[in-house]
mmCIF file of all heavy atoms in Angstrom:
data_model
loop_
_atom_site.group_PDB
_atom_site.id
_atom_site.type_symbol
_atom_site.label_atom_id
_atom_site.label_comp_id
_atom_site.label_asym_id
_atom_site.label_seq_id
_atom_site.Cartn_x
_atom_site.Cartn_y
_atom_site.Cartn_z
ATOM 1 N N PHE A 22 120.848 98.588 60.871
ATOM 2 C CA PHE A 22 121.225 97.320 61.501
ATOM 3 C C PHE A 22 121.221 97.509 63.017
ATOM 4 O O PHE A 22 121.734 98.507 63.527
ATOM 5 C CB PHE A 22 122.618 96.912 61.011
ATOM 6 C CG PHE A 22 122.929 95.468 61.216
ATOM 7 C CD1 PHE A 22 122.410 94.506 60.367
ATOM 8 C CD2 PHE A 22 123.749 95.059 62.258
ATOM 9 C CE1 PHE A 22 122.705 93.161 60.544
ATOM 10 C CE2 PHE A 22 124.047 93.723 62.446
ATOM 11 C CZ PHE A 22 123.522 92.769 61.587
ATOM 12 N N GLU A 23 120.651 96.575 63.718
ATOM 13 C CA GLU A 23 120.454 96.682 65.172
ATOM 14 C C GLU A 23 119.668 97.942 65.537
ATOM 15 O O GLU A 23 119.758 98.439 66.659
ATOM 16 C CB GLU A 23 121.788 96.680 65.926
ATOM 17 C CG GLU A 23 122.562 95.380 65.813
ATOM 18 C CD GLU A 23 123.850 95.384 66.622
ATOM 19 O OE1 GLU A 23 124.508 96.433 66.719
ATOM 20 O OE2 GLU A 23 124.204 94.325 67.148
ATOM 21 N N VAL A 32 123.545 94.654 53.475
ATOM 22 C CA VAL A 32 124.114 93.492 54.164
ATOM 23 C C VAL A 32 123.423 92.241 53.620
ATOM 24 O O VAL A 32 122.292 92.324 53.139
ATOM 25 C CB VAL A 32 123.918 93.596 55.697
ATOM 26 C CG1 VAL A 32 122.440 93.586 56.083
ATOM 27 C CG2 VAL A 32 124.650 92.487 56.456
ATOM 28 N N THR A 33 124.104 91.120 53.667
ATOM 29 C CA THR A 33 123.456 89.853 53.311
ATOM 30 C C THR A 33 123.103 89.091 54.576
ATOM 31 O O THR A 33 123.791 89.195 55.598
ATOM 32 C CB THR A 33 124.365 88.938 52.472
ATOM 33 O OG1 THR A 33 125.536 88.651 53.226
ATOM 34 C CG2 THR A 33 124.730 89.554 51.153
ATOM 35 N N LEU A 34 122.034 88.344 54.485
ATOM 36 C CA LEU A 34 121.673 87.378 55.527
ATOM 37 C C LEU A 34 121.783 86.002 54.878
ATOM 38 O O LEU A 34 121.126 85.735 53.870
ATOM 39 C CB LEU A 34 120.252 87.617 56.017
ATOM 40 C CG LEU A 34 119.913 89.024 56.539
ATOM 41 C CD1 LEU A 34 118.462 89.098 56.976
ATOM 42 C CD2 LEU A 34 120.827 89.417 57.688
ATOM 43 N N TRP A 53 113.271 91.263 56.344
ATOM 44 C CA TRP A 53 113.382 92.067 57.559
ATOM 45 C C TRP A 53 112.006 92.301 58.182
ATOM 46 O O TRP A 53 111.868 92.669 59.331
ATOM 47 C CB TRP A 53 114.055 93.398 57.234
ATOM 48 C CG TRP A 53 114.907 93.884 58.345
ATOM 49 C CD1 TRP A 53 114.656 94.945 59.170
ATOM 50 C CD2 TRP A 53 116.157 93.346 58.781
ATOM 51 N NE1 TRP A 53 115.671 95.088 60.082
ATOM 52 C CE2 TRP A 53 116.607 94.122 59.865
ATOM 53 C CE3 TRP A 53 116.948 92.273 58.360
ATOM 54 C CZ2 TRP A 53 117.797 93.870 60.523
ATOM 55 C CZ3 TRP A 53 118.132 92.024 59.019
ATOM 56 C CH2 TRP A 53 118.539 92.821 60.086
ATOM 57 N N HIS A 81 122.955 81.490 66.896
ATOM 58 C CA HIS A 81 122.933 82.799 67.574
ATOM 59 C C HIS A 81 121.486 83.277 67.519
ATOM 60 O O HIS A 81 120.858 83.250 66.459
ATOM 61 C CB HIS A 81 123.881 83.713 66.799
ATOM 62 C CG HIS A 81 123.879 85.150 67.163
ATOM 63 N ND1 HIS A 81 123.612 85.619 68.422
ATOM 64 C CD2 HIS A 81 124.153 86.254 66.409
ATOM 65 C CE1 HIS A 81 123.738 86.943 68.419
ATOM 66 N NE2 HIS A 81 124.043 87.341 67.210
ATOM 67 N N MET A 82 120.974 83.689 68.663
ATOM 68 C CA MET A 82 119.545 83.973 68.747
ATOM 69 C C MET A 82 119.151 85.326 68.150
ATOM 70 O O MET A 82 117.973 85.593 67.943
ATOM 71 C CB MET A 82 119.118 83.906 70.216
ATOM 72 C CG MET A 82 117.685 83.559 70.464
ATOM 73 S SD MET A 82 116.482 84.664 69.728
ATOM 74 C CE MET A 82 116.876 86.225 70.538
ATOM 75 N N GLU A 83 120.108 86.207 67.886
ATOM 76 C CA GLU A 83 119.704 87.540 67.413
ATOM 77 C C GLU A 83 118.750 87.366 66.228
ATOM 78 O O GLU A 83 118.989 86.548 65.333
ATOM 79 C CB GLU A 83 120.935 88.368 67.021
ATOM 80 C CG GLU A 83 120.578 89.830 66.854
ATOM 81 C CD GLU A 83 121.779 90.764 66.838
ATOM 82 O OE1 GLU A 83 122.928 90.291 66.753
ATOM 83 O OE2 GLU A 83 121.555 91.989 66.913
ATOM 84 N N PRO A 84 117.665 88.141 66.203
ATOM 85 C CA PRO A 84 116.602 87.857 65.232
ATOM 86 C C PRO A 84 116.982 87.960 63.756
ATOM 87 O O PRO A 84 116.232 87.480 62.909
ATOM 88 C CB PRO A 84 115.513 88.869 65.610
ATOM 89 C CG PRO A 84 115.693 89.039 67.088
ATOM 90 C CD PRO A 84 117.184 89.035 67.286
ATOM 91 N N ASP A 85 118.123 88.569 63.409
ATOM 92 C CA ASP A 85 118.515 88.523 61.993
ATOM 93 C C ASP A 85 118.855 87.098 61.570
ATOM 94 O O ASP A 85 118.945 86.804 60.375
ATOM 95 C CB ASP A 85 119.675 89.489 61.680
ATOM 96 C CG ASP A 85 120.908 89.279 62.533
ATOM 97 O OD1 ASP A 85 120.772 88.906 63.708
ATOM 98 O OD2 ASP A 85 122.026 89.505 62.026
ATOM 99 N N HIS A 86 119.035 86.197 62.542
ATOM 100 C CA HIS A 86 119.308 84.786 62.224
ATOM 101 C C HIS A 86 118.178 83.847 62.660
ATOM 102 O O HIS A 86 118.126 82.717 62.191
ATOM 103 C CB HIS A 86 120.603 84.329 62.910
ATOM 104 C CG HIS A 86 121.779 85.196 62.574
ATOM 105 N ND1 HIS A 86 122.458 85.097 61.374
ATOM 106 C CD2 HIS A 86 122.374 86.188 63.261
ATOM 107 C CE1 HIS A 86 123.425 86.000 61.345
ATOM 108 N NE2 HIS A 86 123.401 86.677 62.469
ATOM 109 N N VAL A 146 130.460 86.329 70.582
ATOM 110 C CA VAL A 146 130.710 86.775 69.200
ATOM 111 C C VAL A 146 129.442 86.511 68.388
ATOM 112 O O VAL A 146 129.405 85.638 67.563
ATOM 113 C CB VAL A 146 131.921 86.072 68.543
ATOM 114 C CG1 VAL A 146 133.218 86.508 69.117
ATOM 115 C CG2 VAL A 146 131.818 84.569 68.575
ATOM 116 N N HIS A 147 128.401 87.142 68.694
ATOM 117 C CA HIS A 147 128.412 88.483 69.196
ATOM 118 C C HIS A 147 127.658 88.603 70.535
ATOM 119 O O HIS A 147 127.995 89.457 71.366
ATOM 120 C CB HIS A 147 127.831 89.294 68.033
ATOM 121 C CG HIS A 147 126.983 90.442 68.151
ATOM 122 N ND1 HIS A 147 125.738 90.588 67.640
ATOM 123 C CD2 HIS A 147 127.277 91.613 68.728
ATOM 124 C CE1 HIS A 147 125.277 91.765 67.856
ATOM 125 N NE2 HIS A 147 126.176 92.418 68.503
ATOM 126 N N TRP A 148 126.678 87.753 70.774
ATOM 127 C CA TRP A 148 125.979 87.705 72.052
ATOM 128 C C TRP A 148 126.544 86.524 72.858
ATOM 129 O O TRP A 148 127.285 85.701 72.310
ATOM 130 C CB TRP A 148 124.473 87.534 71.822
ATOM 131 C CG TRP A 148 123.752 88.751 71.301
ATOM 132 C CD1 TRP A 148 124.307 89.958 70.954
ATOM 133 C CD2 TRP A 148 122.340 88.882 71.064
ATOM 134 N NE1 TRP A 148 123.326 90.819 70.524
ATOM 135 C CE2 TRP A 148 122.108 90.191 70.580
ATOM 136 C CE3 TRP A 148 121.243 88.021 71.211
ATOM 137 C CZ2 TRP A 148 120.841 90.655 70.247
ATOM 138 C CZ3 TRP A 148 119.972 88.486 70.885
ATOM 139 C CH2 TRP A 148 119.776 89.799 70.416
ATOM 140 N N ASP A 150 125.333 83.830 73.604
ATOM 141 C CA ASP A 150 124.735 82.545 73.220
ATOM 142 C C ASP A 150 125.401 81.871 72.034
ATOM 143 O O ASP A 150 125.007 80.781 71.659
ATOM 144 C CB ASP A 150 123.271 82.794 72.833
ATOM 145 C CG ASP A 150 123.149 83.748 71.651
ATOM 146 O OD1 ASP A 150 123.871 84.764 71.642
ATOM 147 O OD2 ASP A 150 122.375 83.472 70.726
ATOM 148 N N THR A 151 126.372 82.506 71.412
ATOM 149 C CA THR A 151 126.780 82.085 70.061
ATOM 150 C C THR A 151 127.598 80.796 70.048
ATOM 151 O O THR A 151 128.291 80.448 71.009
ATOM 152 C CB THR A 151 127.591 83.193 69.368
ATOM 153 O OG1 THR A 151 128.543 83.710 70.298
ATOM 154 C CG2 THR A 151 126.705 84.312 68.917
ATOM 155 N N CYS A 165 128.256 81.889 61.630
ATOM 156 C CA CYS A 165 127.268 82.911 62.001
ATOM 157 C C CYS A 165 127.879 84.309 61.914
ATOM 158 O O CYS A 165 128.430 84.675 60.884
ATOM 159 C CB CYS A 165 126.661 82.607 63.355
ATOM 160 S SG CYS A 165 125.089 83.482 63.569
ATOM 161 N N ASP A 166 127.825 85.111 62.982
ATOM 162 C CA ASP A 166 128.348 86.485 62.893
ATOM 163 C C ASP A 166 129.870 86.518 62.696
ATOM 164 O O ASP A 166 130.406 87.446 62.094
ATOM 165 C CB ASP A 166 128.018 87.257 64.178
ATOM 166 C CG ASP A 166 126.607 87.835 64.161
ATOM 167 O OD1 ASP A 166 125.942 87.779 63.109
ATOM 168 O OD2 ASP A 166 126.173 88.339 65.211
ATOM 169 N N MET A 167 130.548 85.537 63.268
ATOM 170 C CA MET A 167 132.011 85.495 63.177
ATOM 171 C C MET A 167 132.419 85.325 61.706
ATOM 172 O O MET A 167 131.813 84.540 60.972
ATOM 173 C CB MET A 167 132.496 84.308 64.015
ATOM 174 C CG MET A 167 133.976 84.208 64.164
ATOM 175 S SD MET A 167 134.662 85.455 65.253
ATOM 176 C CE MET A 167 136.403 85.102 64.997
ATOM 177 N N PHE A 171 129.490 93.349 56.382
ATOM 178 C CA PHE A 171 128.399 94.062 55.742
ATOM 179 C C PHE A 171 128.643 94.023 54.235
ATOM 180 O O PHE A 171 129.663 93.537 53.752
ATOM 181 C CB PHE A 171 128.362 95.535 56.202
ATOM 182 C CG PHE A 171 127.778 95.757 57.576
ATOM 183 C CD1 PHE A 171 128.147 96.872 58.321
ATOM 184 C CD2 PHE A 171 126.837 94.896 58.112
ATOM 185 C CE1 PHE A 171 127.605 97.114 59.579
ATOM 186 C CE2 PHE A 171 126.280 95.130 59.375
ATOM 187 C CZ PHE A 171 126.678 96.243 60.101
ATOM 188 N N TYR A 198 131.585 96.353 59.475
ATOM 189 C CA TYR A 198 130.791 95.403 60.268
ATOM 190 C C TYR A 198 131.469 95.117 61.609
ATOM 191 O O TYR A 198 130.855 95.200 62.677
ATOM 192 C CB TYR A 198 130.632 94.125 59.450
ATOM 193 C CG TYR A 198 130.105 92.918 60.171
ATOM 194 C CD1 TYR A 198 128.731 92.717 60.320
ATOM 195 C CD2 TYR A 198 130.972 91.939 60.666
ATOM 196 C CE1 TYR A 198 128.241 91.588 60.959
ATOM 197 C CE2 TYR A 198 130.498 90.816 61.298
ATOM 198 C CZ TYR A 198 129.134 90.633 61.449
ATOM 199 O OH TYR A 198 128.659 89.520 62.081
ATOM 200 N N VAL A 202 129.738 96.344 64.999
ATOM 201 C CA VAL A 202 128.946 95.295 65.668
ATOM 202 C C VAL A 202 129.785 94.432 66.607
ATOM 203 O O VAL A 202 129.311 94.020 67.664
ATOM 204 C CB VAL A 202 128.259 94.389 64.607
ATOM 205 C CG1 VAL A 202 127.469 93.275 65.259
ATOM 206 C CG2 VAL A 202 127.353 95.218 63.697
ATOM 207 N N MET A 203 131.027 94.152 66.243
ATOM 208 C CA MET A 203 131.806 93.135 66.954
ATOM 209 C C MET A 203 132.912 93.693 67.850
ATOM 210 O O MET A 203 133.411 92.970 68.726
ATOM 211 C CB MET A 203 132.463 92.178 65.946
ATOM 212 C CG MET A 203 131.490 91.479 65.022
ATOM 213 S SD MET A 203 130.599 90.173 65.854
ATOM 214 C CE MET A 203 131.685 88.801 65.531
ATOM 215 N N GLY A 228 127.269 83.988 58.513
ATOM 216 C CA GLY A 228 125.878 84.441 58.440
ATOM 217 C C GLY A 228 125.692 85.712 57.627
ATOM 218 O O GLY A 228 124.572 86.053 57.258
ATOM 219 N N HIS A 229 126.788 86.450 57.399
ATOM 220 C CA HIS A 229 126.739 87.669 56.591
ATOM 221 C C HIS A 229 127.971 87.689 55.686
ATOM 222 O O HIS A 229 129.079 87.470 56.160
ATOM 223 C CB HIS A 229 126.802 88.921 57.473
ATOM 224 C CG HIS A 229 125.784 88.956 58.584
ATOM 225 N ND1 HIS A 229 124.456 89.204 58.371
ATOM 226 C CD2 HIS A 229 125.920 88.798 59.932
ATOM 227 C CE1 HIS A 229 123.810 89.191 59.527
ATOM 228 N NE2 HIS A 229 124.678 88.930 60.499
HETATM 229 FE FE1 FEO B 501 124.005 88.778 62.682
HETATM 230 FE FE2 FEO B 501 124.542 89.223 66.030
HETATM 231 O O1 FEO B 501 123.536 89.057 64.463
#
Side-chain angles (χ1 to χ4, degrees):
F22 199 78
E23 295 183 324
V32 63
T33 60
L34 305 180
W53 214 251
H81 171 31
M82 206 301 299
E83 194 164 11
D85 56 326
H86 305 282
V146 289
H147 144 238
W148 287 3
D150 61 316
T151 45
C165 200
D166 277 352
M167 187 72 186
F171 283 154
Y198 168 85
V202 178
M203 302 285 269
H229 307 286

